[in-house]
Amino acid sequence: MKRHGNLFDQVISLDNLRAADETARKGKLRTYGVKVHDKHREEHIQTLHEQLKAGTYKPSPYTTVIIHEPKERVIFRLPYYPDRIVHHAIMNVVAPIWRGLFDRDTYCGLPGRGIQAAADRVKYFLRNQPEDCRYCLKIDIRKFYPSIDHDVLKKLVRWKIKDRRVIALIDDLIDSADGIPIGNHPSIFFALLYFARFIMWLRQDWAKEHGVKLIMIDYADDLVFFASDKKILRRLLADMEDYLARELKLEIKANKQIFPVARTHRDKHGRGVDFLGYVFYLEGTRLRKGIKKNFARAIGNMRRAKKPISEADFLQRCASWWGWCKHSDSKHLIEKLNKTSPYEIKFKR
């Protein structure tokens, strides 16, 4: 497999640093870090170029903040300049090299492979290959980001990259925190890279060895597998637990599940696949209960607000939830919410 060298000059070039600055600032124009940087923007870019060229750039210390939705996580934060720019400058060059390693059914953080693309892929399998999707195995990794082993990750970085100076920059990023920090631009690529060889093992070694058709969707550390026989999934689970512990030093959470996939939400002989905010059935897709509750609660709060909100604000606040509804069987939910919304708005699918 080809390894890539002569990358460092591309990473530190002034054109790439300017492009990284343009990308990093998207959606952040009003933030303090961008405003301070813009007072001496070109001077900062030139100084950063010289620091990288001389090898004197070092990552800044992190600050952290805890978020509680959709679940409690520690988010790591760095200054916009120089660190966020450096992250994008590195990934501008190495991300296209790594993308070729990622499986067709690996999602999260890749262009055109967000939540909805992954959800559409699940629907495709359930609708078009129902006999191969009679049973589901659903797993996620225990404390995935904090558990990533630096030595293993560094070996995987060297799988495709051989430029020593670029490797040194990436190693500094990896060693800047335990595991890999949630909130950094490179972190999602590190996570995907960490799983890439595992997915290859599943596709090229395990599936061929056992002579089975492996249907899977990988969204970061959440994975679902489908098969025609639950025995296949039990064998797969046991072998995955061994591989992940031995090769990647990871552990599957105790909430792992193997179950028959229900035909509809009324089918008592199986269950829906709760994944990506949806509950998937062989013949339908519904919203996860928690998302429905949050949507209804938000509309109720807006309806009861002391200060009336405008119709434009109402639509903007509902936009993300409405996005979920458009891609699921939510006709009755939409009709109920229309009756309680502060405006006479008819959501049309």
Side-chain angles (χ1 to χ4, degrees):
M1 184 176 289
K2 181 180 178 181
R3 297 175 69 222
H4 295 258
N6 301 317
L7 303 176
F8 185 73
D9 289 341
Q10 297 178 48
V11 171
I12 72 166
S13 73
L14 290 170
D15 286 344
N16 186 49
L17 292 175
R18 293 186 186 108
D21 185 20
E22 289 295 332
T23 304
R25 68 178 49 235
K26 288 180 180 178
K28 302 180 179 67
L29 293 179
R30 297 181 180 179
T31 61
Y32 176 77
V34 174
K35 289 180 179 179
V36 171
H37 168 62
D38 280 351
K39 292 179 181 179
H40 305 282
R41 185 176 182 184
E42 191 57 32
E43 180 183 337
H44 284 168
I45 295 295
Q46 186 68 46
T47 300
L48 181 55
H49 169 76
E50 296 298 334
Q51 289 176 343
L52 290 166
K53 185 177 180 180
T56 57
Y57 164 79
K58 293 297 178 183
S60 304
Y62 287 102
T63 59
T64 60
V65 61
I66 298 176
I67 63 170
H68 299 278
E69 292 291 340
K71 61 182 180 180
E72 186 172 300
R73 292 181 183 272
V74 178
I75 303 298
F76 290 74
R77 299 189 296 191
L78 284 170
Y80 177 80
Y81 172 82
D83 302 274
R84 297 294 181 185
I85 297 173
V86 171
H87 290 180
H88 282 271
I90 294 170
M91 299 315 299
N92 283 350
V93 175
V94 303
I97 296 170
W98 286 344
R99 284 191 191 111
L101 300 171
F102 304 146
D103 186 77
R104 163 68 180 82
D105 289 316
T106 290
Y107 294 83
C108 187
L110 298 173
R113 298 202 205 179
I115 286 179
Q116 197 50 54
D120 289 343
R121 189 66 168 162
V122 175
K123 292 179 189 178
Y124 170 82
F125 286 130
L126 294 177
R127 307 296 184 271
N128 294 280
Q129 302 178 37
E131 290 303 312
D132 295 321
C133 299
R134 293 177 59 200
Y135 294 92
C136 175
L137 164 63
K138 185 172 181 291
I139 65 170
D140 61 348
I141 305 300
R142 183 177 179 274
K143 295 183 178 179
F144 176 55
Y145 283 85
S147 298
I148 286 182
D149 183 273
H150 288 190
D151 291 335
V152 174
L153 179 56
K154 288 176 182 178
K155 288 179 182 178
L156 293 170
V157 167
R158 287 155 175 79
W159 185 11
K160 292 285 285 184
I161 306 295
K162 64 180 180 181
D163 187 307
R164 292 182 180 179
R165 290 179 294 179
V166 171
I167 287 174
L169 282 175
I170 295 174
D171 284 352
D172 281 345
L173 290 182
I174 292 171
D175 290 334
S176 63
D178 293 336
I180 54 175
I182 299 173
N184 275 357
H185 176 56
S187 291
I188 188 60
F189 284 92
F190 290 158
L192 294 172
L193 183 65
Y194 204 75
F195 256 179
R197 185 162 281 175
F198 165 60
I199 302 299
M200 285 186 182
W201 169 77
L202 287 172
R203 294 285 198 198
Q204 298 175 9
D205 298 334
W206 192 91
K208 290 181 180 179
E209 178 185 343
H210 293 85
V212 300
K213 183 177 183 179
L214 190 62
I215 297 176
M216 61 172 288
I217 303 290
D218 163 26
Y219 194 87
D221 59 330
D222 293 329
L223 298 95
V224 293
F225 301 85
F226 297 102
S228 58
D229 190 332
K230 67 174 66 175
K231 292 179 182 178
I232 295 172
L233 297 178
R234 286 173 181 160
R235 188 185 311 130
L236 173 63
L237 175 60
D239 291 345
M240 284 196 301
E241 287 180 318
D242 176 69
Y243 182 97
L244 289 169
R246 175 169 37 87
E247 299 292 336
L248 299 181
K249 302 181 181 179
L250 296 176
E251 179 183 347
I252 294 175
K253 278 186 181 179
N255 62 355
K256 54 201 172 190
Q257 308 164 43
I258 297 175
F259 54 89
V261 180
R263 187 158 296 281
T264 69
H265 69 283
R266 292 187 175 89
D267 183 357
K268 304 302 181 183
H269 301 290
R271 291 164 44 194
V273 181
D274 189 337
F275 186 50
L276 305 171
Y278 297 101
V279 182
F280 298 96
Y281 301 90
L282 291 172
E283 296 179 359
T285 304
R286 297 171 74 85
L287 281 182
R288 179 181 288 161
K289 183 179 290 186
I291 290 177
K292 289 191 288 187
K293 286 184 175 180
N294 289 339
F295 193 7
R297 187 179 296 116
I299 285 183
N301 290 339
M302 286 186 279
R303 181 171 57 85
R304 293 187 296 269
K306 293 181 180 179
K307 183 179 179 181
I309 66 171
S310 68
E311 183 175 344
D313 284 344
F314 174 74
L315 287 172
Q316 184 176 17
R317 295 184 193 185
C318 290
S320 60
W321 282 296
W322 173 231
W324 294 100
C325 292
K326 286 195 297 185
H327 296 282
S328 61
D329 304 317
S330 302
K331 178 181 177 181
H332 297 299
L333 171 66
I334 293 165
E335 290 175 352
K336 288 181 180 179
L337 294 179
N338 277 335
K339 295 176 182 178
T340 62
S341 66
Y343 292 95
E344 291 296 325
I345 298 172
K346 298 299 181 182
F347 292 116
K348 296 181 180 179
R349 296 197 63 194

